[in-house]
Amino acid sequence: MNQCETNKAITSIKELLEKLKNSINTIGDAPVVSNVTDIQINKGDTVDFMQGIIITDDRDTIDDLDIKIDLGDFNNLIPGTYIIKYTVTDTDGNVTTFTRNIVVLEEEIVIPPENDDESSDDTTDDNESSDDTANDD
C-alpha cells in the first residue's frame, strides 16, 4: 500500500467513525446549568441577570446557545422577591429551563444615635461659653 492509498483508507475510516458516532447520538445532551444562586440588590440598583451562572453544552459554546431571560414583573424600584425564568436552547434544539430569585431590598436608612439630654445641654453650654468669651475679645 502506497502513501496515497493509506491516506484514502484513513479518510474512509474517519468518515465511517463520524457516521457511526452521529447514528448513535444524533442529538447531543441538553445544556447544563450550574451556580444558580439568588441575588439581593438594594432598591434602584441594576442587576446582572447572568451573574455567576455557568452554562455548558456538550457540543455548543456559550456563544452558540440561545439564552432567553423572562423578567416577568421584575421592577428594581419596588422591594420584593421576583422569580426570573431562564430558557437555554442549544443548536440541536435541546432546552433547559431554570429560575432564580432576585430580591429587591428597601434602601438602608442610617439613623445616628440620639444624644442624652444632659450631654447635649453640657455641649451647648460649653459652646455658648466659648462663643461669649470669643465675643468679649
Side-chain angles (χ1 to χ4, degrees):
M1 199 181 246
N2 65 28
Q3 185 64 39
C4 182
E5 291 171 340
T6 304
N7 288 343
K8 284 181 184 180
I10 291 173
T11 301
S12 294
I13 292 170
K14 284 182 180 179
E15 290 171 356
L16 181 62
L17 287 173
E18 188 65 28
K19 286 179 185 178
L20 181 61
K21 182 178 92 174
N22 288 336
S23 70
I24 293 171
N25 188 13
T26 57
I27 297 178
D29 297 329
V32 176
V33 178
S34 60
N35 206 34
V36 179
T37 59
D38 292 351
I39 297 176
Q40 289 187 348
I41 64 166
N42 287 322
K43 184 172 93 173
D45 287 353
T46 57
V47 180
D48 173 4
F49 292 98
M50 292 300 294
Q51 175 186 325
I53 296 175
I54 298 170
I55 303 173
T56 57
D57 188 72
D58 62 334
R59 295 184 180 194
D60 298 318
T61 67
I62 190 73
D63 295 330
D64 297 327
L65 300 173
D66 180 25
I67 303 170
K68 293 190 182 345
I69 303 172
D70 180 357
L71 301 180
D73 61 351
F74 176 78
N75 186 334
N76 67 337
L77 299 175
I78 300 174
T81 300
Y82 299 90
I83 299 172
I84 309 302
K85 182 178 178 181
Y86 298 77
T87 304
V88 183
T89 307
D90 66 14
T91 56
D92 288 330
N94 298 311
V95 177
T96 299
T97 59
F98 63 97
T99 60
R100 96 183 313 176
N101 294 322
I102 308 289
V103 180
V104 178
L105 305 170
E106 277 289 339
E107 292 178 302
E108 290 185 41
I109 300 172
V110 179
I111 301 172
E114 293 183 20
N115 294 334
D116 293 339
D117 287 339
E118 291 179 9
S119 62
S120 13
D121 288 342
D122 290 343
T123 306
T124 306
D125 289 343
D126 289 344
N127 288 340
E128 287 175 3
S129 298
S130 299
D131 289 341
D132 288 343
T133 307
N135 288 337
D136 289 341
D137 289 340

